[in-house]
């Protein structure tokens, strides 16, 4: 019975982690689409923004489950301190530490995003930039720490995620990124 | 309430009659600035009917009351930015009677219990004299600050933004500076002339103040006159006839093609309007106001369309670059007007100017697009026959000045 | 009546608001919102309150407020 529970926790921990990775990939891509001011996927501009938010919150919820289940999983040997301070874990401390780092970033980004009306756009935007650090850290953590890290199917999944983010990023940095190429606000004034 | 034993100034020359350089001289001539509580001050200013002389003409008493009602201690800022190209009155005042302007800050500061008094001077103003004056006064030191920002630098929230160490650009009007201004404190921004008027009003009282001007628009005001005459600053009663101001400034009336009243955000008036009195009730039918006290005269030999197009182009370039409709619409409007100013232009440009005007009004954080649109509207109205001539390929312009 | 307050200094012309509130807002040729009610800050009728709140949340530049 206990063994079954352990296996279940382990599987749940792995599964939630992987789906969270997919969710965050989706979040990042949708964030970039949303920032471009373009309607996409037939849901309009506000729809893209809402999907972005929903994907982010889903991913965050999954991560909560992910660390929760692994905390109760005796095999993973997580301690409470590992939720906050990176690189102190007993099992693969480096790879686990990356996960902790990602969780720390996630907490800050989530809190600031939920309180964005209060903190104002400057802080919101600065902190939101940290997502570009969060995503690769989370990906490397998944590849290094995950027990499926070596499996081909997982590598393919990770590769697809990386490709999606790579394409979105290069579009973000391209000249035609902002919609319709109209004269828009040349941002001479920082805000 | 008014405790001075000095005889009040008579006649229409008030703030310009005070020419006191040193503090000693100033106190000998006018006595010290009276101390008033905020209630006394608000009542005094309200009964005098003093309005802001910076352009918007807002009742000063309401402005004071707004910051006095706040729980936090307000900051008082004297506005001598003089971003309006054609205005010279702030410079004149700070040169001739710096202590009068500082008195105004002093009176407001004491009534409101402010710990910070600032005088902001623009890039066209030499602040040496007023700095020296501020240093020799007893009481709270006025912090004189040399600032930039061009045409919109004197806009209230742009000024506050600059004083807060940020860019000189207007802020969202939904959070006005009298609620959150310098360092987040409620901030009262008053034009230099308003301060000087206040300094005399506090000494001589509301009845004296109302002995010039009209019952609805009392007092005197400074007006910078230019065009067809060397630039000058006059002090005249509110409600004076336009013709009278032109004569006082030495403008040859027969050479007047049109006058621009209120500065670059102002309104063109035709030559036939010499009888109009420069007060709110006479000017509002024309959609005009004296603004920051500017009268610019256009010669009969000049093309109003060309001059207006140049002004519109200047205004478009002076935009802060924050609000989309202004950033996109103003250069397009100026460009359309410029094309219209070339004889033989496309008749569709007339409708296009109107359309663009409608597109920028009420859609900026500050009144810059609205003021520019008003100016362009009066251009199209006052120079309508001229527009027709241009469409036929004709222009009467013989001199470019 | 509560109004939709547009901070023009923040607005970047994404247009989410006009999609959610076509009754109150249109977009100009550059993609920036135009009030359709003739008011500077359009009044938000009770029937549109929920859409108004959504528009506030959807604005990526946080340029909207209802107040």
């Amino acid at each position: 019975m206990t063994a079954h529970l352990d296996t279940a926790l382990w599987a749940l921990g792995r599964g939630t982690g992987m789906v969270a990775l997919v969710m965050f990939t989706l979040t990042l891509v949708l964030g970039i689409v949303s920032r471009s001011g373009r309607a996409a996927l037939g849901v309009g501009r506000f729809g893209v923004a809402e999907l972005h938010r929903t994907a982010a919150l889903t991913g965050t919820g999954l991560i909560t489950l992910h660390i929760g289940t692994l905390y109760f999983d005796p095999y993973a040997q997580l301690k409470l301190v590992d939720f906050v301070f990176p690189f102190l874990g007993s099992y693969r401390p480096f790879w686990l530490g990356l996960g902790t780092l990602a969780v720390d970033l996630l907490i800050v980004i989530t809190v600031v995003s939920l309180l964005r009306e209060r903190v104002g756009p400057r802080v919101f935007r600065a902190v939101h930039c940290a997502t570009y650090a969060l995503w690769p850290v989370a990906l490397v953590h998944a590849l290094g720490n995950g027990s499926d890290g070596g499996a081909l199917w997982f590598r393919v999944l990770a590769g697809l995620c990386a490709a999606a983010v790579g394409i979105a990023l290069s579009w973000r940095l391209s000249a035609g990124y902002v919609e319709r190429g109209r004269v828009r606000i040349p941002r001479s004034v920082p805000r | 309430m008014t405790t001075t034993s000095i005889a009040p100034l008579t006649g229409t020359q008030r703030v310009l009659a005070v020419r006191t350089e040193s503090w000693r001289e100033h106190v000998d001539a006018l006595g010290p600035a009276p101390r008033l509580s905020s209630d006394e001050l608000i009542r005094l200013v309200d009964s005098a009917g003093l309005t802001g002389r910076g352009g918007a003409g807002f009742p000063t008493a309401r402005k004071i009351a707004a910051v006095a009602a706040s729980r936090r201690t307000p900051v008082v800022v004297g506005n001598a930015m003089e971003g309006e190209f054609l205005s010279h009155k702030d410079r004149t005042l700070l040169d001739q009677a710096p202590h009068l302007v500082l008195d105004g800050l002093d009176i407001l500061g004491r009534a409101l219990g402010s710990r910070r008094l600032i005088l902001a001077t623009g890039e066209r103003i030499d602040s040496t004299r007023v700095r020296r004056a501020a240093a020799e006064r007893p009481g709270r030191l006025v912090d004189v600050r040399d600032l930039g920002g061009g045409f919109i630098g004197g806009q209230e929230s742009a000024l506050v933004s600059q004083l807060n160490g940020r860019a000189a650009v207007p802020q969202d009007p939904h959070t006005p500076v009298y609620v959150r201004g310098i360092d987040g404190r409620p901030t009262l921004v008053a034009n230099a002339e308003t301060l000087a008027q206040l300094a005399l009003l506090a000494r001589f009282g509301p009845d004296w103040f109302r002995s010039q001007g009209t019952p609805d628009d009392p007092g005197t005001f400074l007006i910078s006159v230019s065009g067809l005459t060397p630039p000058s600053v006059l002090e005249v009663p509110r409600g004076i006839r336009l013709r009278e101001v032109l004569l006082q400034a030495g403008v040859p009336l027969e050479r007047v093609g049109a006058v621009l009243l209120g500065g670059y955000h102002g309104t063109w008036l035709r030559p036939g309007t010499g009888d109009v009195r420069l007060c709110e009730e006479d000017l509002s039918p024309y959609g005009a106001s004296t603004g920051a006290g500017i009268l610019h005269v256009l010669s009969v030999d000049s093309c109003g369309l060309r001059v207006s197009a140049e002004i519109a182009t200047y205004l478009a370039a002076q935009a802060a670059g924050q609000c989309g409709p202004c950033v996109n619409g103003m250069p397009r409007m100026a460009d359309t007007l410029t094309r219209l100013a070339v004889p033989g232009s496309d008749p569709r440009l007339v409708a296009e100017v109107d359309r663009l005007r409608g597109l920028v009004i009420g859609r900026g954080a500050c009144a810059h697009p609205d003021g520019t649109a008003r100016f362009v509207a009066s251009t199209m109205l006052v120079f309508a026959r001229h527009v027709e001539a241009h469409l036929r390929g004709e222009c009467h312009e013989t001199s470019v000045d | 009546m509560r109004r939709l307050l547009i901070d023009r200094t923040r607005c970047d012309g994404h247009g989410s608001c006009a999609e959610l509130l076509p009754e109150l807002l249109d977009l100009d040729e550059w993609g920036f919102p135009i009030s359709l009610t003739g008011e500077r800050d359009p009044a938000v009728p009770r029937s549109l309150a929920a859409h108004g709140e959504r528009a506030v949340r959807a604005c990526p530049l946080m340029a909207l407020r209802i107040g």
Side-chain angles (χ1 to χ4, degrees):
Chain A
M1 181 63 203
T2 325
H4 285 309
L5 185 61
D6 290 352
T7 315
L9 284 172
W10 182 231
L12 194 59
R14 274 162 55 204
T16 48
M18 275 182 285
V19 182
L21 179 66
V22 175
M23 279 298 155
F24 287 140
T25 303
L26 202 60
T27 305
L28 207 149
V29 172
L30 286 170
I32 289 175
V33 175
S34 170
R35 182 74 184 83
S36 82
R38 242 171 274 248
L41 311 170
V43 292
R45 297 182 186 91
F46 71 94
V48 174
E50 296 215 336
L51 276 179
H52 165 73
R53 181 177 294 121
T54 308
L57 291 175
T58 309
T60 307
L62 287 167
I63 288 301
T64 314
L65 270 178
H66 175 66
I67 59 178
T69 48
L70 291 179
Y71 176 67
F72 290 107
D73 172 20
Y75 186 66
Q77 298 175 18
L78 275 184
K79 292 186 286 295
L80 274 175
V81 70
D82 295 325
F83 292 165
V84 187
F85 297 103
F87 312 119
L88 300 174
S90 47
Y91 173 74
R92 299 191 186 172
F94 176 71
W95 303 113
L96 174 64
L98 290 181
T100 306
L101 201 60
V103 168
D104 290 346
L105 282 172
L106 183 63
I107 290 170
V108 174
I109 294 163
T110 308
V111 168
V112 168
S113 300
L114 293 176
L115 294 176
R116 65 178 199 151
E117 293 301 331
R118 189 153 302 181
V119 300
R122 261 176 258 236
V123 174
F124 169 73
R125 194 166 286 192
V127 171
H128 232 65
C129 281
T131 48
Y132 289 113
L134 165 63
W135 187 85
V137 170
L139 178 74
V140 175
H141 158 78
L143 286 170
N145 211 36
S147 35
D148 306 305
L152 178 68
W153 66 269
F154 185 72
R155 293 198 164 188
V156 170
L157 179 73
L160 285 174
C161 287
V165 168
I167 291 167
L169 254 183
S170 48
W171 177 49
R172 173 78 178 89
L173 298 171
S174 69
Y177 172 65
V178 174
E179 189 199 23
R180 293 172 293 234
R182 292 167 173 174
V183 184
R184 297 183 77 103
I185 302 184
R187 281 286 166 210
S188 53
V189 182
R191 39 174 182 186
Chain B
M1 241 167 22
T2 47
T3 52
T4 183
S5 57
I6 311 278
L9 299 160
T10 52
T12 58
Q13 299 304 291
R14 293 178 167 182
V15 295
L16 286 191
V18 179
R19 287 171 179 262
T20 52
E21 201 177 326
S22 75
W23 173 241
R24 186 97 310 269
E25 217 184 315
H26 187 70
V27 175
D28 285 348
L30 292 172
R35 280 172 182 275
L36 299 169
S37 72
S38 69
D39 285 345
E40 284 171 335
L41 181 63
I42 292 166
R43 240 177 297 141
L44 171 73
V45 175
D46 188 40
S47 55
L50 174 64
T51 52
R53 301 294 200 237
F58 196 75
T60 306
R62 275 168 57 193
K63 238 172 156 174
I64 304 172
V67 290
S70 168
R71 275 186 297 116
R72 298 189 68 187
T73 315
V75 177
V76 182
V77 178
N79 186 351
M81 294 298 289
E82 202 147 59
E84 278 266 4
F85 205 70
L86 297 172
S87 173
H88 308 285
K89 71 186 176 89
D90 293 358
R91 185 166 33 174
T92 305
L93 267 179
L94 291 184
D95 237 31
Q96 290 189 9
H99 281 294
L100 204 56
V101 176
L102 296 170
D103 276 353
L105 276 175
D106 212 34
I107 291 165
L108 284 171
R110 280 201 228 156
L112 294 166
S114 304
R115 282 185 289 274
R116 263 192 93 184
L117 303 178
I118 301 170
L119 179 69
T121 56
E123 49 223 331
R124 296 188 301 129
I125 289 177
D126 177 5
S127 63
T128 318
R129 256 185 145 148
V130 72
R131 275 177 193 282
R132 204 185 311 139
E136 64 173 332
R137 290 169 70 93
R140 192 167 294 286
L141 183 67
V142 172
D143 181 10
V144 180
R145 302 278 297 273
D146 293 318
L147 303 175
F151 187 82
I152 57 153
Q155 196 274 348
E156 214 168 69
S157 65
L159 173 55
V160 166
S161 173
Q162 189 171 191
L163 285 167
N164 276 334
R166 291 201 292 271
V169 296
Q171 306 298 303
D172 180 29
H174 299 116
T175 311
V177 299
Y178 63 79
V179 175
R180 274 178 65 84
I182 309 281
D183 298 335
R185 290 182 177 280
T187 300
L188 174 63
V189 180
N191 173 258
E193 184 195 338
T194 314
L195 294 171
Q197 296 278 5
L198 178 65
L200 293 180
L201 163 62
R203 287 178 167 94
F204 305 133
D207 293 338
W208 167 83
F209 187 83
R210 287 183 166 277
S211 66
Q212 292 287 340
T214 75
D216 291 335
D217 196 348
T220 62
F221 75 111
L222 297 181
I223 188 159
S224 309
V225 187
S226 58
L228 289 184
T229 182
S232 62
V233 177
L234 307 175
E235 181 168 15
V236 293
R238 303 283 312 165
I240 189 174
R241 293 197 193 279
L242 174 58
R243 179 181 298 107
E244 185 58 33
V245 180
L246 294 172
L247 285 173
Q248 275 192 38
V251 174
L253 294 184
E254 70 286 356
R255 303 249 298 117
V256 176
V259 298
L260 177 59
L261 181 67
Y264 287 173
H265 279 171
T267 313
W268 288 108
L269 297 174
R270 287 175 228 266
T273 47
D275 279 335
V276 80
R277 294 177 310 149
L278 302 187
C279 58
E280 216 202 309
E281 76 180 287
D282 269 33
L283 291 173
S284 55
Y286 294 93
S289 87
T290 52
I294 293 164
L295 189 61
H296 182 72
V297 186
L298 184 80
S299 155
V300 275
D301 307 325
S302 297
C303 172
L305 271 182
R306 177 191 56 80
V307 172
S308 298
E310 283 171 14
I311 294 174
T313 305
Y314 166 79
L315 290 174
Q318 290 295 313
Q322 294 190 105
C323 310
C326 183
V327 166
N328 292 289
M330 297 255 288
R332 183 86 79 80
M333 186 165 70
D335 181 57
T336 311
L337 197 59
T338 305
R339 284 162 61 201
L340 197 58
V342 178
S345 39
D346 186 337
R348 283 170 304 179
L349 292 175
V350 178
E352 178 66 357
V353 168
D354 276 352
R355 189 184 74 84
L356 289 164
R357 212 159 43 72
L359 214 48
V360 299
I361 292 174
R363 297 183 62 220
C366 71
H368 188 51
D370 306 61
T372 308
R374 180 171 54 230
F375 166 76
V376 171
S378 90
T379 301
M380 299 303 281
L381 188 70
V382 169
F383 300 115
R385 286 178 58 192
H386 208 70
V387 171
E388 285 168 24
H390 271 230
L391 297 180
R392 290 193 306 267
E394 299 158 14
C395 179
H396 72 284
E397 183 160 61
T398 52
S399 84
V400 178
D401 60 10
Chain C
M1 183 70 96
R2 287 156 73 74
R3 292 182 181 280
L4 186 70
L5 309 178
I6 307 171
D7 182 342
R8 302 278 180 181
T9 66
R10 285 185 183 174
C11 176
D12 219 351
H14 276 246
S16 301
C17 51
E19 280 177 349
L20 280 160
L21 294 166
E23 301 86 346
L24 304 181
L25 300 171
D26 191 9
L27 297 179
D28 67 16
E29 59 206 86
W30 305 289
F32 293 89
I34 301 176
S35 166
L36 288 175
T37 64
E39 304 148 305
R40 205 187 151 94
D41 301 307
V44 184
R46 198 167 292 254
S47 57
L48 291 175
H51 281 83
E53 297 289 347
R54 256 182 108 188
V56 169
R57 263 192 298 123
C59 178
L61 286 126
M62 303 160 60
L64 294 178
R65 214 151 43 85
I66 286 184

